[in-house]
Amino acid sequence: MQGEYDGIVTVGELKQYGNTGIGTFQGVNGEMIVLDGIVYRAIWDGSVEVAPDDETVPFSNVTFFDTDIKAEHVNAASSGELKSILNSIVRKHGRNQFYMAKITGLMPSILVRSELEQHEPYKPLNDALKTDQREFTYSDIKGTVVALYCPDYMDGLNSAGWHLHFISEDRQKGGHVLDMVVQDGVLELDIISEFAMVVPNRDSFNAKSLATDMKEAIEQVEGK
């Protein structure tokens, strides 16, 4: 959020820690979707490519996905409704756990975004997206949403609640989900009870004031 966009691990290293997840790349150069052990990048024009193993990563969340909960015939008229469905499952199984979810099926409509690569001096993410965000709407597209849930006590370390990224079935389109409609989808969730965190050890990071309240800026970035 505060412009710390230089990578600290490579894509190759990241894959040692999980086969499913979300994130971004050096310079916020696209939205990351990790699915079935492959790290995809949805770039500024909405297209998708496989990220090379030597690409570096400033921010990501991955896990080795195990299906603990499964539901079929999931329908939602908006991303808000989908999150309500997901939140009802979280309340039932424990709101203080982490969850990684996959929602696969037909999206009658989906609005996603990516962004232009950023260059130094880096601007805070909400300021960068005011000018460099690119949005794409797709209709009747099949694909998978990879979604991460962080509990409230993670606020400050991560974005509490749900964060959704999309990739099409043909792996040609994707991005951060701003809104969507789901028709007859298959929902799988992995309940996660532990996490490991790596942070950079460099002057730019160590000088940041990370006690700053970023809630409003995060809501802008999330499209709320």
Side-chain angles (χ1 to χ4, degrees):
M1 289 301 304
Q2 295 192 38
E4 193 70 20
Y5 301 152
D6 290 329
I8 57 171
V9 300
T10 66
V11 165
E13 291 169 334
L14 183 69
K15 289 190 287 188
Q16 298 176 29
Y17 297 98
N19 60 10
T20 306
I22 58 177
T24 189
F25 301 90
Q26 167 73 28
V28 200
N29 186 18
E31 301 284 343
M32 178 190 294
I33 309 99
V34 185
L35 191 60
D36 300 326
I38 301 173
V39 179
Y40 298 96
R41 184 206 324 258
I43 58 178
W44 65 271
D45 64 357
S47 65
V48 170
E49 62 187 18
V50 176
D53 279 349
D54 61 356
E55 174 72 72
T56 59
V57 177
F59 185 81
S60 179
N61 306 268
V62 295
T63 190
F64 288 105
F65 194 93
D66 295 309
T67 301
D68 294 316
I69 304 164
K70 186 172 182 178
E72 299 183 351
H73 311 298
V74 173
N75 296 281
S78 66
S79 59
E81 185 175 342
L82 176 61
K83 289 178 182 178
S84 293
I85 294 170
L86 292 168
N87 284 333
S88 68
I89 297 172
V90 166
R91 287 192 295 271
K92 179 179 178 180
H93 291 273
R95 67 179 71 221
N96 291 325
Q97 303 299 311
F98 297 83
Y99 295 81
M100 192 74 77
K102 295 189 291 186
I103 304 97
T104 303
L106 176 66
M107 317 299 169
S109 176
I110 187 165
L111 172 63
V112 300
R113 71 112 189 277
S114 190
E115 54 282 316
L116 299 175
E117 181 180 4
Q118 301 299 297
H119 301 281
E120 294 182 308
Y122 296 131
K123 296 182 288 187
L125 188 58
N126 57 317
D127 289 337
L129 293 183
K130 288 177 183 177
T131 56
D132 293 345
Q133 176 168 296
R134 300 293 182 267
E135 298 180 5
F136 307 92
T137 301
Y138 302 112
S139 300
D140 296 324
I141 187 170
K142 291 183 177 180
T144 299
V145 170
V146 178
L148 171 74
Y149 171 87
C150 289
D152 288 339
Y153 60 80
M154 287 292 291
D155 192 29
L157 291 180
N158 210 321
S159 176
W162 289 99
H163 189 109
L164 287 66
H165 287 192
F166 169 77
I167 188 167
S168 61
E169 185 177 68
D170 62 7
R171 307 298 189 251
Q172 297 298 305
K173 300 177 178 67
H176 169 97
V177 176
L178 297 173
D179 201 7
M180 63 182 299
V181 178
V182 182
Q183 180 178 318
D184 202 26
V186 175
L187 170 62
E188 299 172 85
L189 291 99
D190 184 6
I191 305 174
I192 304 161
S193 298
E194 61 182 80
F195 76 97
M197 184 174 181
V198 178
V199 297
N201 184 10
R202 56 185 177 226
D203 290 345
S204 59
F205 178 79
N206 291 334
K208 289 270 190 309
S209 176
L210 298 181
T212 303
D213 184 0
M214 303 298 295
K215 183 177 181 180
E216 183 177 346
I218 290 172
E219 289 182 346
Q220 292 174 11
V221 168
E222 290 295 304
K224 296 179 181 177

